[in-house]
């Protein structure tokens, strides 16, 4: 019976808090749900915040910017979605696939902008890329895998074997692997893959394949992003370069990376949020693919591996790390 | 917390209440620490999503998902009973195998159900509020499951099941087949978890292989929390308690998410879970101490 | 009827710890017989009982109960023939279940357990009648957890539980050894009452030579895995404890003599 009393008390307290939390403000409310905290996704969020500021929406002034991370747990992502939808913000932003899905499933009315989602069609977020039908649209970060392929060939002229470590549990990684295999088949190059289900497995997986390959491809994968230092470490020992799909990898010692600066992806996402806040209809905002592929080169890493970077490549690089 | 968030939290709490029931069956009734649930929960979602996308009736898909969960339990039981592998290890083996199988089932790590028919759609199309429909149906299904479990555990067979976790030598002496009870209990437990996975996927319109991570911790937290608040030797109280525990756990999570409240944020969740479970474990000891004190004075 | 034919049980066979617990034991306990089994520690008394119940697999020989060869049956299948009461009062009952739930478990011993409610009012009445024999007032506490009872009380309930299903063989494994003397005497008396009332066939292992002679109608003594003597009827009636001790030491001396011969 004591337990019952405790529960009743608990519920009463909860109800009181619920009513207290319902405060209204005369500002735009943007709620951001992110699946997990890692540098690329954090940069996206920061880019969004800064992008909005540049457009005149400043957090704390005329913008209420709420943010939660689900710690990689889809059940929490769902709870965050319910929480946000209940707070009735003007725009919901889902960073990465499961969070965007959870938001889209929780509301049919509040606009949902997704970002950093590789394949919005198979994630069923939209049925039509040019004319989204429901309340969902956003920005895809489909990695330019074919371009990465060319980059690797440019870097290693007699390229025969590419090594890649990825997490088969991540939707983004799987679609990139498919694209990579397609390119490889067309050019008769062998792909040696190793899987890592968690970031602590990356080092071991990389060690297994490092000696058999000429270049290590670090695709855009949350698991790899977390363990990029380990991957680069193994590649350095094996004296092979790492080519990455995310420019943030260069700072960790990848020789070259062609990708989005995820900060810029966030800034581009701000365009979507602005359009919705200005009252534009979702069906008039087509899904787009993140622009501005940046080429980052790490001259120091190249030198350490004894690789001379082609002049043409150095010339078109947007960022050189010396 | 808004009403929408509150109802949404209730729904997730109820769905995970099925997980808690499963964990209660293995940890408490059978005394078999079973981590298979981390694999059977996403498997339920994967099977339901794949079946629905393939055009199978959502109710049938849900039943298939439940059976898939049961199969995970049977495999763990086989490894433990027949192959003599330590129960904890046997369940970990099934759990990690299930991860690969789930990706095979769906053909990819994430499968979306947005716009697909689910067990909820017929009622939604009648014009009811989506959240109310979800909550209502989930509540009914959890209620039916709870009644089923209570009735089962009150039967002759259920009594054997309950005794197995406490005194297996006595059960054997009374003619009960311990091996069979273990198979049955694990299949039932993981069946519930697979069922929960199927409901989760349909309610939230996606199945994701990563949705299994930490299922066991959440289930265990619910069982411990519920049974500490509502402790009784009566089966129906225990069953209700674990479901209540699951709802309370989700409310605690929602608390943490209510932006700005007590300065907590979602990344504090693991800490909150640990603190909740620790408190729930300490309370019974404190109660016992108080009792001793009151006797002394 | 229980028939053991040339039972041989060896623990850790082929290792340095090899222990021949039973060496070619043959024994027939006829219908309605109350056999008491004595012997020193490690003589094989309990092993003999678990060869019947199935808890210890036999290395050689055969076990027959009521004319059925059960040598390869698992414990739970053999349970339909025989009820057991263990030495440890905690072993024979399930602590977290109530008294009536324990009894419900026992009344289905050896039968299939189904969806039926374990506790019906009919069953409760039946349990109340049966447990009232004990005179411990437990009939009013059927809903209490059995873990609340003392060891002696639990042992008494175990004995009642052994009579609920309709088998007629009872295996008692030093079932009074863990109790205080007064409770032990009560349980032994209760055992005799129950055995008589339900005309049971009994194998009772005991540490106490006095008890072994006072109860039952046949006594065997085990030593180093063999039956060294087997008495019944008038011969047994004349025996007392000093007598038994003397017989025991005589047998042991003979064996020592054998050994010394072998060594010599």
């Amino acid at each position: 019976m004591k337990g019952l009393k405790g529960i009743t008390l608990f519920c009463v307290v909860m109800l009181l808090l619920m009513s207290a939390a319902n405060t209204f403000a005369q500002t735009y409310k943007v709620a951001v749900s992110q699946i997990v905290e890692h540098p690329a996704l954090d940069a996206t969020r920061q880019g969004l915040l800064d992008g909005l500021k540049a457009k005149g929406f400043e957090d704390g002034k005329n913008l209420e910017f709420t943010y939660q991370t689900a710690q990689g747990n889809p059940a929490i992502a769902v709870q965050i979605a319910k929480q946000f939808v209940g707070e009735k913000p003007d725009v919901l932003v889902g960073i990465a696939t499961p969070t965007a899905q959870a938001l889209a499933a929780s509301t049919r009315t509040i606009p949902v902008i997704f970002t950093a989602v590789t394949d919005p069609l198979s994630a069923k977020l939209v049925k039509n890329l040019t004319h989204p039908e429901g309340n969902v649209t956003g920005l895809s970060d489909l990695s330019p895998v074919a371009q990465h392929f060319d980059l690797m060939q440019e870097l290693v002229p007699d390229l025969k074997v590419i090594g890649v470590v990825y997490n088969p549990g991540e939707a983004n990684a799987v679609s990139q692997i498919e694209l990579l295999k397609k390119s490889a088949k067309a050019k008769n190059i062998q792909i040696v893959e190793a899987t890592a289900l968690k970031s602590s497995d990356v080092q071991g997986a990389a060690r297994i394949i490092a000696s058999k390959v000429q270049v290590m491809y670090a695709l855009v994968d949350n698991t790899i992003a977390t363990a990029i230092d380990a991957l680069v470490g193994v590649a350095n020992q094996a004296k092979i370069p790492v080519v990455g799909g995310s420019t943030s990898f260069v700072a960790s010692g990848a020789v070259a990376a062609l990708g989005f600066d995820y900060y810029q992806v966030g800034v581009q996402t701000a365009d979507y949020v602005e359009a919705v806040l200005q009252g534009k209809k979702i069906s008039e905002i087509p899904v787009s693919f993140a622009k501005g592929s940046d080429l980052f080169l790490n001259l120091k890493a190249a030198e350490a591996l004894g690789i001379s970077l082609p002049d043409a490549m150095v010339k078109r690089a947007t960022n050189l790390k010396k | 917390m808004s009403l929408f968030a509150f109802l949404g939290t209730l729904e997730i709490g109820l769905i995970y209440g099925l997980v808690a029931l499963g964990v209660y069956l293995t940890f408490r009734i059978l005394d078999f620490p079973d981590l298979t649930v981390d694999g059977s929960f996403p498997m339920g979602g994967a099977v339901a999503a794949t079946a629905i996308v393939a055009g199978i009736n959502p109710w049938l898909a849900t039943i298939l998902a439940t059976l898939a969960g049961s199969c995970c339990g049977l495999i763990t039981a086989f490894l433990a009973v027949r192959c003599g592998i330590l129960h904890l290890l046997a369940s970990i083996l099934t759990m990690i195998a299930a991860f690969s199988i789930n990706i095979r089932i769906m053909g990819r790590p994430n499968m979306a159900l947005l716009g697909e028919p689910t067990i909820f759609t017929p009622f939604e199309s009648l014009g009811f509020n989506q959240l109310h429909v979800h909550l209502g149906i989930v509540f009914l299904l959890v209620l039916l499951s709870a009644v089923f479990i209570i009735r089962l555990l009150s039967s002759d067979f259920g009594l054997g099941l309950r005794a197995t976790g406490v005194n297996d030598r006595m059960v054997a002496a009374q003619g009960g087949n311990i091996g069979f009870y273990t198979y049955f209990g694990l299949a039932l437990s993981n069946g519930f978890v697979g069922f929960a996975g199927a409901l989760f996927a349909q309610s939230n319109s996606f199945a994701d292989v990563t949705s299994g991570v930490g299922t066991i911790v959440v289930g265990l937290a619910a069982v411990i929390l519920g049974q500490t608040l509502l402790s009784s030797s009566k089966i129906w109280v225990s069953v209700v308690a674990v479901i209540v525990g699951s709802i309370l756990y989700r409310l605690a999570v929602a608390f943490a998410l209510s932006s700005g409240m007590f300065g907590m944020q979602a990344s504090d969740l693991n800490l909150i879970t640990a603190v909740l479970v620790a408190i729930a474990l300490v309370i019974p000891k404190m109660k016992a101490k108080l009792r001793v004190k009151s006797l002394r004075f | 009827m229980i028939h053991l034919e040339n039972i041989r049980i060896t623990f850790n066979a082929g290792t340095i710890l090899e222990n021949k617990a039973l060496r070619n034991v043959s024994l027939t306990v006829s219908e309605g017989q109350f056999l008491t089994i004595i012997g020193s520690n490690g003589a094989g008394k309990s092993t003999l009982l678990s060869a019947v119940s199935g808890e210890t697999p036999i290395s050689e020989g055969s076990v027959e109960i009521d004319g059925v060869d059960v040598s390869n049956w698992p414990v739970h299948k053999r349970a339909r023939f025989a009820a057991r009461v263990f030495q440890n009062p905690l072993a024979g009952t399930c602590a977290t279940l109530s008294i009536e739930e324990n009894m419900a478990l026992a009344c289905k011993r050896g039968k299939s357990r189904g969806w039926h409610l374990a506790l019906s009012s009919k069953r409760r009445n039946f349990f109340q009648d049966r447990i009232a024999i004990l005179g411990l007032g437990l009939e009013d506490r059927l809903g209490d957890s059995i873990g609340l009872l003392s060891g002696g009380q639990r042992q008494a309930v175990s004995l009642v539980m052994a009579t609920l299903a309709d088998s007629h063989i009872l295996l008692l494994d030093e079932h009074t050894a863990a109790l205080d003397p007064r409770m032990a005497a009560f349980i032994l008396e209760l055992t005799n009452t129950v055995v008589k009332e339900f005309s049971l066939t009994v194998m009772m292992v005991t540490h106490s030579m006095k008890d072994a002679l006072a109860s039952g109608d046949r006594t065997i003594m085990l030593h180093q895995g063999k039956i060294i003597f087997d008495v019944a009827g008038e011969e047994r009636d004349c025996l007392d404890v000093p007598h038994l001790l003397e017989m025991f030491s005589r047998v042991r001396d003979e064996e020592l003599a054998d050994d010394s011969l072998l060594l010599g």
Side-chain angles (χ1 to χ4, degrees):
Chain A
M1 279 303 117
K2 248 187 192 164
L4 266 178
K5 256 188 217 158
I7 286 171
T8 324
L9 190 71
F10 186 80
C11 291
V12 171
V13 171
M14 294 289 308
L15 284 167
L16 284 174
L17 285 170
M18 269 157 51
S19 46
N22 275 334
T23 48
F24 294 95
Q26 297 299 321
T27 49
Y28 292 111
K29 280 206 244 176
V30 175
V32 179
S33 173
Q34 181 177 323
I35 187 69
V36 70
E37 289 186 305
H38 82 67
L41 296 183
D42 290 347
T44 308
R45 190 180 74 240
Q46 193 56 46
L48 172 63
L49 193 60
D50 293 350
L52 285 170
K53 193 175 173 183
K55 291 173 191 302
F57 300 100
E58 200 174 344
D59 189 21
K61 286 188 180 161
N62 60 343
L63 179 71
E64 199 185 316
F65 190 89
T66 24
Y67 152 72
Q68 293 288 0
T69 162
Q71 306 272 294
N73 186 332
I76 305 291
V78 168
Q79 276 203 270
I80 291 172
K82 306 276 184 210
Q83 184 79 34
F84 280 174
V85 170
E87 286 165 8
K88 296 200 172 65
D90 298 292
V91 186
L92 290 161
V93 179
I95 303 180
T97 308
T99 20
Q101 284 171 323
L103 288 173
S106 299
T107 177
R108 305 265 152 88
T109 49
I110 302 173
V112 175
I113 304 296
F114 60 80
T115 186
V117 169
T118 306
D119 191 349
L121 281 177
S122 84
K124 292 198 174 142
L125 290 165
V126 287
K127 283 192 184 132
N128 187 326
L129 292 177
T130 43
H131 297 289
E133 287 152 348
N135 57 330
V136 185
T137 187
L139 193 66
S140 164
D141 66 343
L142 186 67
S143 190
V145 174
Q147 281 168 271
H148 293 148
F149 209 86
D150 296 340
L151 186 67
M152 286 185 270
Q153 275 195 312
E154 204 178 341
L155 198 66
V156 185
D158 57 337
L159 185 63
K160 298 251 159 37
V161 195
I162 297 174
V164 58
V165 180
Y166 72 104
N167 182 350
E170 283 191 38
N172 292 352
V174 173
S175 41
Q176 288 171 66
I177 282 286
E178 279 165 11
L179 286 173
L180 185 69
K181 282 182 180 163
K182 215 187 270 171
S183 304
K185 206 172 174 191
K187 298 193 173 161
N188 208 15
I189 283 175
Q190 195 195 344
I191 304 289
V192 177
E193 40 184 293
T195 56
L197 295 180
K198 46 188 192 296
S199 38
S200 55
D201 294 342
V202 170
Q203 192 175 37
R207 276 202 185 117
I208 293 169
I209 59 168
S211 59
K212 303 176 207 157
V213 302
Q214 292 163 287
V215 58
M216 190 72 82
Y217 176 45
L219 42 64
V220 186
D221 170 318
N222 291 332
T223 310
I224 299 303
T226 318
I228 184 68
D229 292 321
L231 187 70
V232 170
V234 173
N236 282 343
Q237 282 166 16
K239 301 240 172 276
I240 53 168
V242 174
V243 172
S246 168
T247 51
S248 63
F249 294 169
V250 168
S252 300
V255 170
L258 175 73
F260 321 108
D261 177 351
Y262 269 86
Y263 180 81
Q264 291 301 327
V265 172
V267 172
Q268 288 167 43
T269 311
D271 295 342
Y272 279 85
V273 176
E274 184 195 26
V276 171
L277 291 180
Q278 285 170 348
K280 211 167 173 186
K281 278 187 188 152
I282 293 286
S283 59
E284 291 164 9
I285 317 174
V287 173
S288 64
F289 293 88
K291 301 181 291 264
S293 288
D294 296 350
L295 177 62
F296 279 40
L297 296 176
N298 189 332
L299 300 178
K300 206 172 128 197
E303 198 183 331
L305 291 168
I307 297 172
S308 56
L309 296 168
D311 287 343
M313 193 189 280
V314 178
K315 234 175 241 170
R316 63 171 206 272
T318 50
N319 185 305
L320 291 174
K321 189 176 184 319
K322 288 175 187 165
Chain B
M1 199 196 297
S2 62
L3 185 63
F4 183 90
F6 181 71
L7 295 180
T9 305
L10 271 187
E11 186 200 330
I12 301 172
L14 283 168
I15 291 178
Y16 273 86
L18 293 171
V19 173
L21 274 183
V23 172
Y24 167 71
L25 276 175
T26 48
F27 271 76
R28 284 283 197 250
I29 298 289
L30 278 183
D31 193 24
F32 188 119
D34 178 28
L35 308 189
T36 316
V37 293
D38 274 28
S40 47
F41 184 83
M43 186 172 287
V47 169
T50 309
I52 287 173
V53 169
I56 291 173
N57 176 289
W59 287 101
L60 187 60
T62 307
I63 293 171
L64 288 177
T66 309
L67 292 178
S70 295
C71 285
C72 292
L74 287 178
I75 291 167
T76 300
F78 177 81
L79 291 176
V81 175
R82 195 61 187 274
C83 309
I85 300 174
L86 182 73
H87 39 27
L88 206 59
L89 191 59
S91 69
I92 290 174
L93 292 176
T94 315
M95 176 183 98
I96 59 166
F99 188 89
S100 307
I101 295 168
N102 290 338
I103 294 176
R104 282 279 178 185
I105 290 173
M106 296 195 286
R108 54 189 142 165
N110 176 295
M111 195 162 217
L113 283 170
L114 283 164
E116 297 284 345
T118 65
I119 57 168
F120 305 109
T121 26
F123 304 93
E124 280 170 26
S125 59
L126 291 176
F128 294 115
N129 176 309
Q130 183 202 353
L131 190 64
H132 294 171
V133 167
H134 285 208
L135 188 58
I137 293 178
V138 167
F139 177 77
L140 273 180
L141 291 174
V142 172
L143 185 71
L144 281 176
S145 306
V147 168
F148 171 76
I149 285 276
I150 293 167
R151 180 61 182 78
L152 175 80
L153 292 178
S154 312
S155 70
D156 277 326
F157 182 83
L159 219 49
L161 208 57
R162 282 160 67 191
T164 298
V166 186
N167 188 347
D168 54 357
R169 191 172 175 216
M170 179 252 197
V171 173
Q174 298 297 346
N177 186 343
I178 301 295
F180 181 74
Y181 282 131
T182 308
Y183 276 104
F184 183 91
L186 282 174
L188 186 66
S189 160
N190 286 285
F192 274 117
V193 177
F195 183 38
L199 291 183
F200 182 84
Q202 293 180 66
S203 175
N204 301 299
S205 302
F206 70 93
D208 197 294
V209 285
T210 60
S211 64
V213 177
T215 306
I216 185 61
V217 180
V218 175
L220 208 52
V223 169
I224 294 172
L225 200 62
Q227 294 206 322
T228 307
L229 291 174
L230 294 170
S231 61
S232 165
S233 61
K234 288 200 179 69
I235 282 296
W236 74 266
V237 179
S238 300
V239 168
V240 171
V242 301
I243 296 171
V244 169
S246 168
I247 294 173
L248 288 179
Y249 175 79
R250 287 296 159 188
L251 282 173
V253 172
F255 244 135
L257 292 175
S258 293
S259 31
M261 211 171 275
F262 306 131
M264 285 196 285
Q265 58 183 36
S267 51
D268 299 332
L269 280 177
N270 289 355
L271 179 66
I272 293 170
T273 308
V275 170
L276 273 179
V277 174
I279 291 176
L281 287 173
V282 168
I283 285 177
K285 284 189 184 153
M286 301 259 284
K287 274 189 191 162
K289 248 189 196 164
L290 282 177
R291 214 170 295 143
V292 170
K293 265 190 187 163
S294 63
L295 281 178
R296 209 178 292 156
F297 297 111
Chain C
M1 191 192 72
I2 302 163
H3 180 65
L4 304 176
E5 183 75 40
N6 265 322
I7 299 289
R8 189 194 278 269
I9 292 182
T10 312
F11 295 123
N12 304 312
T15 71
I16 197 159
L17 294 168
E18 185 174 280
N19 171 17
K20 289 178 177 153
L22 290 181
R23 317 175 187 209
N24 300 69
V25 170
S26 294
L27 175 73
T28 302
V29 185
S30 56
E31 200 68 47
Q33 196 166 59
F34 188 157
L35 172 75
T36 60
I37 303 163
I38 49 175
S40 54
N41 281 334
K45 313 184 291 282
S46 292
T47 311
L48 184 68
L49 217 59
S50 60
V52 178
S53 70
E55 270 192 338
T56 310
I58 52 174
S59 313
E60 259 174 62
S62 70
V63 181
E64 229 176 65
I65 306 178
D66 288 353
V68 183
D69 185 347
V70 298
S71 311
N72 296 317
W73 287 23
V75 179
H76 65 90
K77 254 180 109 181
R78 295 193 202 186
R80 85 157 108 118
F81 292 112
R84 287 151 73 195
V85 180
F86 301 104
Q87 174 176 2
N88 181 351
L90 307 181
T93 51
C94 179
T96 54
L97 298 184
S98 64
I99 298 175
E100 55 190 0
E101 284 168 334
N102 270 284
M103 294 178 82
L105 260 180
C107 81
K108 276 287 186 181
R109 176 166 46 79
K111 296 176 198 156
S112 69
R113 293 169 206 273
W115 181 248
H116 256 281
L117 266 186
L119 297 171
S120 57
S121 57
K122 196 178 140 199
R123 268 200 199 163
R124 279 206 175 94
N125 290 336
F126 171 58
F127 296 159
Q128 240 161 12
D129 289 350
R130 282 297 181 86
I131 208 161
I133 311 172
L134 297 178
L136 294 171
L138 294 178
E139 56 275 20
D140 303 322
R141 297 174 56 190
L142 281 183
D144 283 8
S145 161
I146 207 158
L148 299 173
L149 303 188
S150 72
Q153 286 172 320
R154 280 174 87 159
Q155 217 56 341
V157 176
S158 297
L159 265 173
V160 173
M161 281 163 61
T163 66
L164 294 177
D166 48 9
S167 68
H168 49 100
I169 294 175
L170 182 60
L171 305 176
L172 304 170
D173 188 0
E174 300 196 38
H175 67 309
T176 59
L179 308 175
D180 65 76
R182 237 183 55 198
M183 203 65 202
F186 169 71
I187 294 294
L188 199 64
E189 196 188 309
L190 182 71
T191 308
N192 284 312
T193 322
V194 165
V195 168
K196 212 171 279 166
E197 187 172 336
F198 296 93
S199 25
L200 301 174
T201 306
V202 186
M203 284 175 80
M204 179 173 97
V205 171
T206 175
H207 247 111
S208 155
M209 294 192 170
K210 193 173 120 263
D211 290 350
L213 291 177
S215 306
D217 43 29
R218 179 181 169 193
T219 299
I220 59 172
M221 182 182 269
L222 284 172
H223 183 63
Q224 295 186 344
K226 282 186 211 160
I227 298 176
I228 52 170
F229 72 75
D230 183 347
V231 286
E234 266 176 46
E235 187 191 356
R236 181 173 178 272
D237 296 339
C238 310
L239 279 176
D240 54 14
V241 174
H243 224 112
L244 261 184
L245 278 170
E246 191 200 324
M247 284 171 78
F248 179 59
S249 59
R250 201 167 62 219
V251 173
R252 209 170 48 183
D253 287 348
E254 272 170 24
E255 204 154 88
L256 281 176
D258 283 352
D259 282 351
S260 55
L261 273 179
L262 279 171
L263 289 169

